[in-house]
Amino acid sequence: MKKSFGKKAVLYQHPALVIGSYGIDGRPNIMTASWGGICASQPPCVTVSIRKSRHSYEGIMKNRAYSVNIPSVKYIEETDIAGTWSGKDHDKFEELGLTPLKCPDVNAPYVKEFPVVLSCSLVNTVEAGSHTMFIGEITDFLADSELSGENGMPEIEKVDTFIYDTASHHYYSIGERLIRGYSAAKSK
Amino acid sequence: MKKSFGKKAVLYQHPALVIGSYGIDGRPNIMTASWGGICASQPPCVTVSIRKSRHSYEGIMKNRAYSVNIPSVKYIEETDIAGTWSGKDHDKFEELGLTPLKCPDVNAPYVKEFPVVLSCSLVNTVEAGSHTMFIGEITDFLADSELSGENGMPEIEKVDTFIYDTASHHYYSIGERLIRGYSAAKSK
């Protein structure tokens, strides 16, 4: 028999996504979000859930665009702080020593120092209780070219990203490579 | 300058979620999905994206319920196969040696052998191109009691789950504990 822990929003494998957007004043801002992920393959879409009270909310609604920046462990402190401070009180790019560059194809800034960026065009919003889900079509996947590996895509070991565990409230690194997807059925 | 890789649905930190549901024939089934995650805290909600062609689609629509089962590495082959075979052709519980138990509070089966289960009541569906997003309210978080650690919640090291990297098409284990969330700003 399993034990009931009540209504918990815990999956263990939460991403740490750094969302870039211009505010309604035009200033670039970032915030860290763990409620999000890919929601469709064709067209490729990604969701991120943001509370209406957050500084990023109005800017994303106005510009209909955001970037999803994947941080490396090297920038874990900046990622954590970007989820703690508000853009209302802080110029997070400046204070964290990060460089905002404009996405080539949408009106959102991305973080130059982070290894991987998805530029996103807002296509839908869905109300989900405490949060608004932003559904963005991924218009481009940008990465530092020296990260590419065996199949041309940036390698997870070089991206060196991490996850957020909401049960222990700690970040965790990515571990070792296990089996290949869609491989187990062949050995059955 | 970052290199453009085009429109890619790649975030690196994708979960491997095993979705349990009863089919329209009442038989328990599981499928593995990586497009999903928490989308709201209050009430706690989780999304999973499923193509209409999947066997699970109609059953979830009929029963308005599903379970999200978090696998441990011990069951990585079963997880991979559950994402390869279809419930139209296979009794995946039986053939994979897994035990279906009914969620106490919703009409969906869960996997007894997996360490953590979210039981979910379907509250909304959203069309997103290739996939339909199911938004479920988490009605309970169930886990094996021997997994509990320092703060009472199951510990990620004992849950021993893994992620799916869609860039390399491989599963990866969870690595080492890094900093605590909301800790970095205090040292600034």
Side-chain angles (χ1 to χ4, degrees):
Chain A
M1 268 293 282
K2 293 206 186 315
K3 179 183 167 188
S4 165
F5 289 78
K7 302 180 176 198
K8 298 279 181 193
V10 172
L11 278 181
Y12 292 96
Q13 327 93 322
H14 304 284
L17 308 173
V18 177
I19 309 303
S21 61
Y22 291 113
I24 51 173
D25 55 4
R27 283 195 307 141
N29 185 40
I30 45 173
M31 66 165 279
T32 304
S34 279
W35 297 168
I38 300 293
C39 68
S41 313
Q42 194 58 40
C45 288
V46 60
T47 70
V48 60
S49 291
I50 299 178
R51 291 175 189 267
K52 285 196 171 65
S53 58
R54 291 292 207 116
H55 184 66
S56 298
Y57 180 90
E58 289 188 351
I60 296 174
M61 288 298 260
K62 178 188 172 196
N63 292 297
R64 310 284 299 172
Y66 57 92
S67 66
V68 177
N69 301 266
I70 309 293
S72 54
V73 171
K74 183 179 175 187
Y75 292 102
I76 192 169
E77 294 208 339
E78 288 79 358
T79 300
D80 188 54
I81 293 172
T84 306
W85 288 349
S86 169
K88 291 169 190 162
D89 314 313
H90 293 272
D91 182 333
K92 290 191 244 186
F93 273 105
E94 166 108 23
E95 293 179 58
L96 296 172
L98 300 173
T99 311
L101 295 178
K102 191 189 162 297
C103 290
D105 54 350
V106 300
N107 195 28
Y110 71 88
V111 183
K112 179 187 174 192
E113 288 79 4
F114 285 12
V116 172
V117 179
L118 308 180
S119 65
C120 300
S121 171
L122 183 65
V123 292
N124 198 1
T125 58
V126 178
E127 295 306 318
S130 53
H131 288 66
T132 300
M133 293 179 64
F134 290 95
I135 302 180
E137 182 174 335
I138 300 165
T139 58
D140 206 355
F141 176 101
L142 301 164
D144 295 327
S145 51
E146 68 270 22
L147 305 174
S148 289
E150 50 188 336
N151 67 2
M153 286 292 288
E155 290 189 331
I156 192 169
E157 290 85 354
K158 295 178 186 165
V159 172
D160 192 25
T161 189
F162 50 91
I163 63 165
Y164 186 55
D165 168 30
T166 50
S168 70
H169 308 294
H170 279 78
Y171 299 95
Y172 281 79
S173 67
I174 306 297
E176 60 183 3
R177 181 180 276 210
L178 304 171
I179 67 170
R180 186 177 175 87
Y182 304 102
S183 69
K186 289 169 192 154
S187 61
K188 275 270 170 185
Chain B
M1 267 292 285
K2 292 207 185 316
K3 178 183 166 187
S4 165
F5 289 78
K7 301 180 178 199
K8 297 279 181 194
V10 171
L11 278 180
Y12 292 97
Q13 329 91 323
H14 304 284
L17 307 173
V18 176
I19 309 302
S21 61
Y22 291 114
I24 51 174
D25 55 3
R27 284 194 306 141
N29 185 40
I30 45 173
M31 66 164 280
T32 305
S34 279
W35 296 167
I38 300 294
C39 68
S41 314
Q42 194 57 39
C45 288
V46 60
T47 71
V48 60
S49 292
I50 298 179
R51 290 175 189 267
K52 285 196 171 65
S53 58
R54 291 292 207 115
H55 183 65
S56 298
Y57 180 89
E58 288 188 352
I60 295 174
M61 288 298 261
K62 179 188 173 196
N63 293 297
R64 310 285 300 173
Y66 57 93
S67 66
V68 176
N69 302 265
I70 310 292
S72 55
V73 170
K74 183 179 173 188
Y75 291 101
I76 191 169
E77 294 209 339
E78 288 79 358
T79 301
D80 189 53
I81 294 172
T84 306
W85 289 349
S86 169
K88 291 169 189 162
D89 314 314
H90 293 272
D91 182 333
K92 290 190 245 186
F93 273 105
E94 166 107 22
E95 293 179 57
L96 295 173
L98 300 173
T99 311
L101 294 178
K102 190 189 164 296
C103 291
D105 54 350
V106 301
N107 194 28
Y110 72 88
V111 183
K112 180 188 174 192
E113 289 80 4
F114 286 12
V116 171
V117 180
L118 308 181
S119 66
C120 300
S121 172
L122 183 65
V123 292
N124 197 2
T125 58
V126 178
E127 295 305 318
S130 54
H131 287 67
T132 300
M133 292 180 64
F134 290 95
I135 302 180
E137 182 173 336
I138 300 165
T139 58
D140 205 355
F141 177 101
L142 301 164
D144 295 327
S145 51
E146 69 269 22
L147 306 175
S148 289
E150 49 188 335
N151 66 2
M153 287 292 288
E155 291 189 330
I156 193 170
E157 290 86 354
K158 294 178 186 165
V159 172
D160 192 25
T161 190
F162 49 91
I163 63 163
Y164 186 56
D165 168 30
T166 50
S168 71
H169 308 294
H170 278 79
Y171 300 96
Y172 280 79
S173 66
I174 307 297
E176 59 185 2
R177 181 180 275 210
L178 304 171
I179 66 170
R180 186 176 174 88
Y182 303 102
S183 69
K186 288 169 194 155
S187 60
K188 276 270 169 185

